Amino acid sequence: MTWSAAARGAHQPDNTAFTQQRLPAWQPLLSAGITLPLFFCAGLAFIGLGLGLYYSSNGIKELEYDYTGNPGTGNCSVCAALGEGRAPPPKCSCAWYFSLPELFPGPVYLYYELSNFYQNNRRYGVSRDDAQLSGLQSALRHPANECAPYQFSAAGLPIAPCGAIANSLFNDTFSLWHQRRPGGPYEEVQLDRTAIAWWTDYHVKFRNPPLVNGSLALAFRGTAPPPNWHRPVYELSPDPNNTGFVNQDFVVWMRTAALPTFRKLYARIRQGDYTAGLPRGAYRVNISYNYPVRAFGGHKLIIFSNISWMGGKNPFLGIAYLVVGSLCILVGFVMLVVYIRYQDQNDDDDDDDE
Amino acid sequence: MDLVLSTNSRGQHIIDQVLSTSPPHSQHMDLVLSTSPLHGQHMDLVLSTSPLHGQHMDLVLSTSSLQFSGAEVQDVGDMKEPELDLRQSTHEPAMCSSVWQCSLLHQYENLVLQWCAGEENWVDSRTIYVGHKEPPPGAEAYIPQRYPDNRIVSSKYTFWNFIPKNLFEQFRRIANFYFLIIFLVQLIIDTPTSPVTSGLPLFFVITVTAIKQGYEDWLRHKADNAMNQCPVHFIQHGKLVRKQSRKLRVGDIVMVKEDETFPCDLIFLSSNRADGTCHVTTASLDGESSHKTHYAVPDTKGFHTEEDVDRLHATIECEQPQPDLYKFVGRINVYNEQHDPVVRPLGSENLLLRGATLKNTEKIFGVAIYTGMETKMALNYQSKSQKRSAVEKSMNAFLIVYLCILISKALVNTVLKYVWQSEPFRDEPWYNQKTESERQRSLFLRAFTDFLAFMVLFNYIIPVSMYVTVEMQKFLGSYFITWDEDMFDEEMGEGPLVNTSDLNEELGQVEYIFTDKTGTLTENNMAFRECCIEGHVYVPHVVCNGQVLPDSAGIDMIDSSPGVSGKEREELFFRALCLCHTVQVKEDDHVDLGDGPGKSPDSAKSCVYISSSPDEVALVEGVQRLGFTYLRLKDNFMEILNRDNDLERFELLEVLSFDSVRRRMSVIVKSAAGEIYLFCKGADSSIFPRVIEGKVDQIRSRVERNAVEGLRTLCVAYKRLAPEEYEGACALLQAAKVALQDREKKLAEAYEQIEKDLVLLGATAVEDRLQEKAADTIEALQKAGIKVWVLTGDKMETAAATCYACKLFRRGTQLLELTTKRMEEQSLHDVLFELSKTVLRCSGSLTRDTFSGLSTDMHDYGLIIDGAALSLIMKPREDGSSSNYRELFLEICRNCSAVLCCRMAPLQKAQIVKLIKFSKEHPITLAIGDGANDVSMILEAHVGIGVIGKEGRQAARNSDYAIPKFKHLKKMLLVHGHFYYIRISELVQYFFYKNVCFIFPQFLYQFFCGFSQQTLYDTAYLTLYNISFTSLPILLYSLMEQHVSMDVLKRDPTLYRDIAKNALLRWRVFIYWTFLGVFDALVFFFGAYFMFENTPVTSNGQMFGNWTFGTLVFTVMVFTVTLKLALDTHYWTWINHFVIWGSLLFYIVFSLLWGGIIWPFLSYQRMYYVFIHMLSSGPSWLAIVLLIIVSLLPDVLKKVLCRQLWPTATEKTQNVQFQNHVSEFTPLTSLQSPSSQHPGCVVTPRGSFPRPVTCVFWRSEEYSALSPFPGLPAHCRSSVRLGCWGSDLETPRNGPGP
């Protein structure tokens, strides 16, 4: 309202459909009549989909082995016992022997799984410096405060890569050996360690700092590796295209998992004779056992799995679809009964009124 | 000395009298004293001359003491004894000759002391020097008071203080303050979410509100500036000067020309008219467009030129500004060289108000007395107290519940965190070490910060944007009311006005309507029906639509021709009607009529009478048809044209104006022959007791008969005054008129004394037609379950007749009377108990009836109560059990379908509303009225509606909504109210629901991340969820939703019952929504959890991280929440489609963009390509679809089943409506009745139905809501219905009833 004696009165309202709230409108109604067929259709569709998903998930093979090394569980327990209470744990290696009675169809993926490891802990999750990892010079020298206590080394040098996530980089390594004939020699199966990280992470998000005199090592001069690392970041891999921050293992690790039990892709097997999968025979996985998990009650697993269009083995989706589909149909029937029964009753009521 | 002293004990009154009656200058001290209470500085003088003081005091007191009656002495004596040390030092007690004199002295000293203490506030009058000229020396020496300049400041803020002041005001709202606290906590401690997440929405909300308020304030500034800078003419040193309005000061003499508005409140000094009058319209103040006559001060009305006016030497004393537009008291002292000053009373007829416009007068001079913010207009510009709707109250209750949930969530998580962390390797595993400082922090401090961090994490459960959305919804939604064409009145050119948009939804919750009768139910368009003079009934020409009705031509004398004295009485009666009124003749016609008395009475019909009361106009017009024409008021002479076309002139001596307490008015006129008459007209109840002569019984019976017919009756009486009687009366009035304080009361007393011993002449009957569709509206409202009460000041019989006419009472209604008449026979106690017994017996049987389904013939009670009985009921009983009668009365009222309260004073109306409002069910009340006497109840009720009527705009101005006609109430409540209630309740529930969905997964996630306050969603999602992804659809819904069409709502008022008693915001509904939210949250979270559990979900075997997990949950959530709203939407216009699908699309586009670029301003890149990767995985798509469907399933199920099993009336109507629209296209009907192509179905194409057939079909269909025609297959049925619905919507209901 204003002070002015503005003529408020004689304004005829606009006569549009909008102002009169008479816009043409579709007026749907969730009546039983409409939802019934929908329920039945949806139910049938879901059951069909669910069956498909379920069988597709069932077709996926998985082979897993817990190599944590709890006493009495294979030869990794030696390593586990060795590393008990010592930081850093001594170098140790153990092996896992298994045999495949038939072809393990490919492509075969090798995962490691950690449990009880809280990568999603907030203190842990923020303990990184994305600016540093994207190769920013200034961030290399001055890591973000979130990285503390892995921000500066004891000597006061900035840690690169800083933070708890990088510091706890998974450093067990695996190699797969195949014994074609019983008693024959073990031949190493080539593990393809490329493209295990997201393409965008590996190619865009993670960048090394600009080289100094063509050398990555010089670029990282004046920084310290994380306390738990045995080698500096520029020596993560002998491959010059896969070292520094732009290292597949490192990038994979830096994508923190959602849940305390998680898998990370270690390698793919698709080269040479193994394109079609792992053929029948005995296998050995050599494990260099470095990563302590028993301190926090965790487990380490190694998993071979093949992959379908829908990823790894996960019966959940199929079952969920089946359950929801059947529920829809069940509810549909209930509603049908109600509909038919009470329809009459409603009519009767109305007749009474009349 | 002729003194009338009020019983008011303030010493000033004595002084008033002294001032106005005594020759002042000869007794200098008198004046000093007399003005001293007005102007404290004179106290100094009094003090300094203290040796003299007591003596003069005595003098004054002794002169005035002669006039004191015992009561006044008592009063003065009752005055509190001021405890003053001063008293002892200045006066010896011996000086006070009596107790009361002494206390009077004390009173003065009290004032003295107050002044000395610097308290000026007690000064309740002011003195103005006209033209800033000091009063002549030797008069009084005033120290001028400081007055504000004429600047109008309606704006709240200035450029400088806008930001701090606005922020302060906004943070005073509890919700904003809560978010501010959360924001500050985020800034101070290390919390999981960055301060941006709550800071940005808060900033958004604050900014939007600030912009809105800033804009409004800017508009006000603009209007203010326009007002303050508009040029004003005023007189300086005898010359006319133009200045900006804001530079005007109190005391300036202003000239205003025709059609200009007055720049401030002026005392009218003179006009260019010789009679010193001017005409004014106050349309912009109170909406009354009639011209009002104001009178110049008689002593100054001769000053016509600037020089003249500049010579004026006067002071004005008047009360300090107060907001009542119609009250003003003051006096003017005009000094001239020769004589003593002339003192004149000033009343509201001398006051020209700012905002009013000068009409029909070339120019006037006036002196400014109130300026700027002290003008009455500015004082009236005060926002009314905020009314809060029931919805808002439930909203706040829900908020508290959610606050409790929030706190308990945070507490639970904090406790669990420390329990879980008790194992050292969990608190600080080797891979996740703490810093030194973290380790050293005390446990208590850590726990406390953790608690705060959890609070911050979950704070979104209280939706920050809800308040903004609710406010926007109310603000924008109210436009639909003002735009509504159905509520636009062509005749008046006015549509509905919304003064408060806060109460839109309350319109859908009304349980009691209190309506005024005159002007609300009736047209207030009065037509003179008949008059009765000493038992002879006269009916004038009844002109109806330009036709003279044949059976009422001329004067119909029922009785034999009256005798000579009768003839004389008859003429006297007509003269009385011609003279006793305050009608004005419109000036335009003045010229035509000025030709002379040669015109026939009929041709004089061209003149237009204007009055604030339509009754008066009707009477004057009626008497014109009976031969006497009122021509004009000229130079205080009323000119009438009698039957013989002779001009008669009566000098108007006094007008004893009408008020609703006295319920009568009088004039004192002097005829050409020099006889002085007092004519009085008024309500029968206020006239009969004052009559000493006349044919009272005959007239009374006629009055009662007319009242039963619903006519408004007035009685006319007269008295011949002897000159000395007149002198007495005149003095009495004069004394009362000049009083500065309690003038009203004194006037009333004076009137009381004058208007007695009357001779009854006759009575008039005026018909007030019912407003169109009033009956229809009332019927609809009653069907809607609303109880309609009529509160009126009219006679019981008149009011009852109106109630029958508007179907409030029906033929079957059993009337219960609780009136004074009945109480003469029985005590109130007995009457009440008897009534309650009757009523309760009926209500007992009534419930049985409804059970057996035979409620059609239920007993229907109507209660009639009058004002006197009501005040008895309201009066607390001696024994203290005050509430007993009230309870009983309420119990009776509750069981009556209609209540009529007659003979109500305005305050009693408000009392009744209050009584019901605070009765134990706390029903929502609505008051509707058109006149000033309804304002109190309009302000009292939950919703106040003003009818933009003939009696000015006070009601409309004070109301929350104003409508042109009573019939518009139907659409207002049944359609708009219903819609708004549905809309806002969904809005509120949905807001809580969507935030439960939003926050509960975060809560669950804490159990999987070691209670580390890790957020599930990215910052951007947290921030934008409420303000952009899910905000628009619900806003649009809350503006557009129509669950049933408007026509259906209008046609079927019973649907209103479905939402009565806040049905959609009950705790049950609220809990349903909350649990739905929790269920959905569980589905989102655990769905995603099992999806992600340990398996890759992409075909390239790569793993997703925690942000993908959160994004999946978030995506499902946004879709579910939006689709849930889509399921609830019944009215899909293109805008709804656009907004619902648009906001989903916006979410997707935003996510693509947000994840698709490395944003340079972000310190982290956690969302980089997360969304796109998620979409690249097949199972994610499948999971999203599945989870959305699972989340929506229970709600769909509940909806369908409830609709089927326990349909509400609304849902039944929806079904019918729906079947009409789409039955031909859905499989439903074929499922129900398989023979959709029935060969035997022969239906005439729609539109070609003969009309009666249509109606028959209609009726049978109406009662079979869901049911198909037994005989007709569905296909035919639907086409039949389409025919009905399309062709004529109104007919079926109005057609033959069941």
Side-chain angles (χ1 to χ4, degrees), chain A residues 3 12 20-21 23 26 111 118 120 122 130 150 197-198 205 256 258 263 292 312-314 321 331 339, chain B residues 154 224 377 431 433 483 485 983 1005 1008 1012-1013 1042 1095-1096 1101-1103 1106 1131-1132 1165 1182 1197 1228:
Chain A
W3 284 105
Q12 175 92 29
Q20 300 307 313
Q21 305 194 67
L23 279 178
W26 173 52
Y111 292 92
Y118 284 83
N120 58 9
R122 184 165 68 90
D130 278 358
Y150 308 103
W198 290 15
K205 197 168 144 184
T256 51
R263 286 181 194 184
K313 190 179 184 75
N314 190 358
Y321 263 95
V331 164
Y339 183 60
Chain B
S154 62
D224 286 355
M377 176 177 147
Y431 58 84
Q433 302 279 316
W483 283 334
E485 214 192 9
R983 289 167 184 174
Y1005 193 51
F1008 297 92
S1012 61
Q1013 301 124 21
Q1042 299 179 21
T1095 41
Q1102 290 169 357
M1103 296 300 296
N1106 60 331
Y1131 194 76
W1132 285 82
Q1165 301 296 341
L1182 289 172
L1197 195 65
L1228 154 72

Side-chain angles (χ1 to χ4, degrees), chain B residues 1066-1087:
Chain B
R1066 296 218 182 105
W1067 286 104
R1068 219 178 48 200
V1069 187
F1070 171 70
I1071 289 168
Y1072 169 74
W1073 277 89
T1074 304
F1075 273 100
L1076 191 68
V1078 171
F1079 170 80
D1080 286 358
L1082 287 171
V1083 168
F1084 308 149
F1085 184 78
F1086 285 105

Side-chain angles (χ1 to χ4, degrees), chain B residues 918-929:
Chain B
F918 293 111
S919 68
K920 64 173 182 268
E921 290 118 341
H922 292 282
I924 307 292
T925 55
L926 179 145
I928 177 168

Side-chain angles (χ1 to χ4, degrees), chain B residues 307-518:
Chain B
E307 293 81 25
D308 286 346
V309 172
D310 199 48
R311 276 205 310 275
L312 175 66
H313 198 177
T315 57
I316 292 172
E317 282 170 71
C318 58
E319 57 187 354
Q320 290 292 1
Q322 51 152 317
D324 192 328
L325 289 180
Y326 309 102
K327 263 187 202 154
F328 171 74
V329 283
R331 63 177 166 235
I332 183 166
N333 308 317
V334 183
Y335 304 98
N336 37 25
E337 284 90 46
Q338 302 91 20
H339 315 285
D340 295 329
V342 189
V343 181
R344 294 282 171 194
L346 298 174
S348 56
E349 71 277 2
N350 306 111
L351 183 68
L352 303 169
L353 296 178
R354 176 171 196 157
T357 312
L358 185 65
K359 290 285 179 191
N360 290 338
T361 313
E362 204 178 294
K363 63 177 183 184
I364 62 113
F365 292 102
V367 56
I369 55 162
Y370 303 138
T371 48
M373 296 311 288
E374 289 186 346
T375 56
K376 285 178 182 280
M377 176 177 147
L379 293 174
N380 267 286
Y381 179 74
Q382 262 151 13
S383 50
K384 286 166 292 176
S385 66
Q386 282 269 308
K387 291 181 181 176
R388 294 172 87 203
S389 71
V391 168
E392 224 173 310
K393 282 173 205 154
S394 350
M395 200 164 101
N396 288 339
F398 297 163
L399 258 178
I400 288 168
V401 171
Y402 270 72
L403 203 64
C404 295
I405 293 178
L406 168 68
I407 290 171
S408 51
K409 267 184 181 177
L411 268 179
V412 163
N413 267 337
T414 314
V415 170
L416 283 179
K417 175 172 180 161
Y418 284 89
V419 171
W420 185 80
Q421 277 185 357
S422 56
E423 296 225 33
F425 67 80
R426 285 200 176 131
D427 184 24
E428 207 181 345
W430 65 264
Y431 58 84
N432 191 13
Q433 302 279 316
K434 291 180 184 173
T435 56
E436 247 348 277
S437 59
E438 274 171 334
R439 283 193 197 119
Q440 277 158 9
R441 215 177 291 163
S442 76
L443 180 73
F444 176 76
L445 196 65
R446 265 188 295 171
F448 184 66
T449 41
D450 274 326
F451 173 73
L452 286 182
F454 279 119
M455 287 281 284
V456 167
L457 187 67
F458 303 139
N459 83 81
Y460 306 92
I461 200 164
I462 292 180
V464 62
S465 53
M466 183 164 76
Y467 286 93
V468 198
T469 315
V470 166
E471 220 157 83
M472 289 227 282
Q473 190 265 347
K474 288 182 167 178
F475 176 70
L476 296 176
S478 61
Y479 276 103
F480 283 117
I481 295 179
T482 48
W483 283 334
D484 195 329
E485 214 192 9
D486 294 349
M487 299 209 283
F488 186 82
D489 193 69
E490 297 279 346
E491 263 169 65
M492 274 190 264
E494 301 243 27
L497 299 178
V498 178
N499 298 331
T500 331
S501 57
D502 288 344
L503 297 171
N504 292 343
E505 69 274 4
E506 202 85 333
L507 292 173
Q509 290 294 304
V510 175
E511 289 166 70
Y512 281 86
I513 290 182
F514 299 93
T515 167
D516 174 43
K517 188 178 78 74
T518 312

Side-chain angles (χ1 to χ4, degrees), chain B residues 810-1077:
Chain B
R810 257 157 276 174
R811 216 168 299 146
T813 308
Q814 188 183 338
L815 288 189
L816 310 171
E817 276 185 33
L818 188 60
T819 52
T820 355
K821 215 191 281 176
R822 193 166 165 193
M823 242 131 35
E824 282 162 10
E825 299 153 18
Q826 279 171 294
S827 74
L828 174 70
H829 187 83
D830 296 342
V831 175
L832 274 176
F833 272 95
E834 197 178 300
L835 289 181
S836 75
K837 234 187 278 170
T838 330
V839 165
L840 289 179
R841 196 173 55 229
C842 126
S843 75
S845 63
L846 192 137
T847 41
R848 266 204 310 281
D849 280 353
T850 39
F851 269 117
S852 59
L854 292 165
S855 54
T856 42
D857 197 38
M858 63 178 194
H859 258 289
D860 176 33
Y861 285 95
L863 178 74
I864 300 179
I865 181 169
D866 66 2
L870 181 77
S871 56
L872 270 181
I873 289 167
M874 302 294 286
K875 204 167 66 185
R877 271 155 68 178
E878 281 85 46
D879 52 5
S881 57
S882 64
S883 61
N884 205 354
Y885 283 157
R886 284 189 199 197
E887 285 305 313
L888 210 57
F889 173 64
L890 281 174
E891 190 63 42
I892 296 168
C893 290
R894 236 175 260 138
N895 289 301
C896 288
S897 58
V899 178
L900 165 65
C901 309
C902 43
R903 295 280 186 216
M904 289 280 145
L907 267 178
Q908 278 186 313
K909 290 184 175 184
Q911 248 183 335
I912 288 242
V913 174
K914 204 170 184 172
L915 182 73
I916 297 298
K917 192 171 145 188
F918 293 111
S919 68
K920 64 173 182 268
E921 290 118 341
H922 292 282
I924 307 292
T925 55
L926 179 145
I928 177 168
D930 72 321
N933 58 341
D934 305 315
V935 170
S936 58
M937 75 169 176
I938 283 175
L939 291 177
E940 181 65 47
H942 290 102
V943 186
I945 294 196
V947 174
I948 308 170
K950 295 208 168 74
E951 286 185 27
R953 272 185 183 253
Q954 280 115 307
R957 269 194 314 145
N958 287 294
S959 62
D960 303 310
Y961 300 90
I963 50 177
K965 285 274 160 65
F966 181 74
K967 63 173 177 180
H968 297 138
L969 193 62
K970 183 175 163 188
K971 189 167 188 196
M972 195 88 166
L973 297 187
L974 298 186
V975 179
H976 287 292
H978 198 145
F979 278 160
Y980 283 120
Y981 179 71
I982 295 272
R983 289 167 184 174
I984 199 126
S985 54
E986 171 91 6
L987 172 71
V988 170
Q989 301 280 24
Y990 178 77
F991 251 100
F992 285 112
Y993 159 80
K994 77 173 180 158
N995 283 286
V996 172
C997 286
F998 183 42
I999 286 312
F1000 206 69
Q1002 290 237 71
F1003 173 71
L1004 293 172
Y1005 193 51
Q1006 299 311 308
F1007 290 86
F1008 297 92
C1009 70
F1011 305 100
S1012 61
Q1013 301 124 21
Q1014 173 65 35
T1015 59
L1016 188 54
Y1017 322 114
D1018 179 52
T1019 308
Y1021 288 156
L1022 280 173
T1023 314
L1024 295 179
Y1025 176 74
N1026 267 322
I1027 58 178
S1028 65
F1029 297 144
T1030 59
S1031 61
L1032 272 187
I1034 182 63
L1035 179 64
L1036 241 289
Y1037 174 96
S1038 64
L1039 289 174
M1040 312 283 290
E1041 170 69 354
Q1042 299 179 21
H1043 59 306
V1044 254
S1045 80
M1046 270 195 262
D1047 302 315
V1048 174
L1049 280 181
K1050 242 166 135 181
R1051 201 173 35 227
D1052 191 357
T1054 48
L1055 297 182
Y1056 196 79
R1057 292 167 190 250
D1058 267 12
I1059 55 163
K1061 304 248 173 219
N1062 215 355
L1064 301 180
L1065 289 174
R1066 296 218 182 105
W1067 286 104
R1068 219 178 48 200
V1069 187
F1070 171 70
I1071 289 168
Y1072 169 74
W1073 277 89
T1074 304
F1075 273 100
L1076 191 68

Side-chain angles (χ1 to χ4, degrees), chain A residues 11 22 59 72 83 107 111 127 152 166 168 203 209 254 260 272 276 286 330 347:
Chain A
H11 62 90
R22 289 188 188 278
Y111 292 92
S127 185
F152 293 101
S168 59
H203 289 94
M254 292 304 283
N286 279 352
L330 189 74
D347 291 351

Side-chain angles (χ1 to χ4, degrees), chain A residues 128-208:
Chain A
R128 62 192 283 163
D129 185 352
D130 278 358
Q132 196 187 46
L133 298 176
S134 64
L136 215 67
Q137 273 287 345
S138 55
L140 193 67
R141 306 288 162 211
H142 308 283
N145 290 333
E146 282 85 5
C147 287
Y150 308 103
Q151 191 181 10
F152 293 101
S153 70
L157 289 176
I159 293 177
C162 75
I165 311 180
N167 182 50
S168 59
L169 177 67
F170 183 75
N171 57 0
D172 285 359
T173 54
F174 313 107
S175 58
L176 179 63
W177 301 79
H178 178 212
Q179 190 184 33
R180 278 174 192 276
R181 279 164 283 109
Y186 279 97
E187 285 171 33
E188 184 163 11
V189 179
Q190 276 297 312
L191 298 178
D192 180 5
R193 316 260 346 254
T194 61
I196 55 174
W198 290 15
W199 189 93
T200 47
D201 283 1
Y202 187 74
H203 289 94
V204 183
K205 197 168 144 184
F206 286 77
R207 298 281 73 185
N208 276 324

